[in-house]
Amino acid sequence: MTDPNACVLLKRDLAVVMSAEALFTLTDLCGLGTDEAVTSAVRTATAVTRAAVRAIA
């Protein structure tokens, strides 16, 4: 990824997905176990990253 603006946006998007608050939401509000919450966050981060890469390609 060479577009500096795209990198900044991706970093912000991933901060939302990979934050402690996101994991608290998945475990406390969604009722997921710790492993399930981490798996969900990783899946979402992967999808966001793939979408960002496709958008600039």
Side-chain angles (χ1 to χ4, degrees):
M1 189 176 291
T2 57
D3 180 0
N5 291 330
C7 288
V8 169
L9 292 175
L10 177 58
K11 184 177 177 179
R12 286 184 200 159
D13 292 344
L14 291 175
V16 171
V17 174
M18 299 308 294
S19 67
E21 290 83 2
L23 292 177
F24 293 148
T25 298
L26 291 169
T27 56
D28 293 345
L29 297 178
C30 297
L32 297 180
T34 304
D35 289 343
E36 291 173 303
V38 170
T39 298
S40 179
V42 169
R43 184 175 49 249
T44 303
T46 300
V48 167
T49 303
R50 285 184 180 147
V53 170
R54 276 195 305 267
I56 65 164

